[in-house]
Amino acid sequence: MEKFLLVLFAYLLGSVLPGEIIAKLKGVNLREVGSGNVGATNVSRVLGKKFGALVFFLDMLKGFIPTYLAISFYGVESKAVMFAGIASVLGHMFSIFDRFRGGKGVATAFGVILAVSFKLALLSLLVWFVILQWKRYVSLASITASVVAPLLFLISGYPSHIFLMGIVIAVLIVYKHKPNIDRLLRGQELKV
Ligand code: NKO
């Protein structure tokens, strides 16, 4: 029961979309500008870097808090960690407060990884950063880092459900980047 409530909390917290709320307060509808996404990248495009950083931080906390709680209560060996992590990302991507729309899950997934391992979070961030510097596409950096992150869990000897959590989150992130992938293939994706 407690575990179920924690997973529910993760989904509900994930469903709160800081990007959308902050943009609305500034009188902007993110769906109509830039990439149309509610994530940190589009907020940064439309409202500037400071707001982008704020949205990244808040979206990241939505993954970090429930996953960290699950690990503190039940230990990383518990499958509750996997369910809490996936639920937070699902909340962000398919928000109950926004007719099951939402963001692409990258910052929230980063928070989940950070709760499991500071070292692997830093490594994922490094992958993201290197691809961004090299190719100048945020989406490509996010897709690559999300595919590499579960492999890092695998080779670092984490329990198999943590690896599975990473795979599920990576598949969800790639799925949500479908419009970006189409634009990348057509050479129409926006560079930074
Ligand atoms: O507007 O469609 P867009 O061009 O905005 O946005 C594409 C973008 C959407 O994601 C975001 C969040 C940006 C976060 C920036 C810092 C990310 C550091 C991530 C480290 C690795 C995450 C790995 C996840 C693993 C499962 O992509």
Side-chain angles (χ1 to χ4, degrees):
M1 187 60 197
E2 289 160 38
K3 286 180 184 166
F4 172 76
L5 286 177
L6 181 62
V7 173
L8 183 66
F9 166 71
Y11 174 74
L12 293 176
L13 184 66
S15 283
V16 179
L17 300 173
E20 193 163 59
I21 294 166
I22 290 169
K24 221 170 247 172
L25 292 173
K26 301 279 288 176
V28 175
N29 181 358
L30 285 175
R31 314 263 176 205
E32 291 168 356
V33 285
S35 67
N37 191 40
V38 295
T41 305
N42 206 35
V43 169
S44 171
R45 252 181 223 122
V46 177
L47 297 175
K49 282 206 170 108
K50 269 190 197 158
F51 284 102
L54 176 64
V55 169
F56 168 71
F57 180 72
L58 295 173
D59 281 344
M60 185 273 288
L61 281 184
K62 301 194 303 180
F64 180 81
I65 293 170
T67 312
Y68 185 81
L69 288 177
I71 293 171
S72 329
F73 292 160
Y74 311 114
V76 79
E77 302 298 323
S78 166
K79 290 199 175 60
V81 177
M82 168 179 81
F83 289 120
I86 292 173
S88 66
V89 173
L90 281 176
H92 179 80
M93 291 179 166
F94 307 98
S95 167
I96 197 164
F97 307 125
D98 197 24
R99 287 180 283 141
F100 301 102
R101 297 178 307 175
K104 296 178 183 174
V106 181
T108 304
F110 180 72
V112 172
I113 297 175
L114 189 63
V116 175
S117 161
F118 182 73
K119 220 165 67 183
L120 295 193
L122 269 189
L123 270 175
S124 310
L125 186 63
L126 184 71
V127 170
W128 184 85
F129 197 73
V130 167
I131 301 293
L132 183 68
Q133 291 303 313
W134 180 32
K135 294 291 181 182
R136 299 271 152 195
Y137 296 116
V138 177
S139 55
L140 186 67
S142 298
I143 291 164
T144 310
S146 71
V147 171
V148 170
L151 301 176
L152 294 176
F153 285 131
L154 183 68
I155 59 178
S156 307
Y158 276 88
S160 55
H161 63 271
I162 297 290
F163 170 58
L164 180 62
M165 172 180 82
I167 294 282
V168 171
I169 292 175
V171 168
L172 288 165
I173 290 178
V174 173
Y175 167 73
K176 276 280 184 173
H177 279 80
K178 194 174 175 303
N180 303 83
I181 294 168
D182 290 342
R183 285 195 295 269
L184 283 165
L185 293 174
R186 289 200 307 263
Q188 290 170 353
E189 181 70 320
L190 298 169
K191 289 203 182 201
V192 292

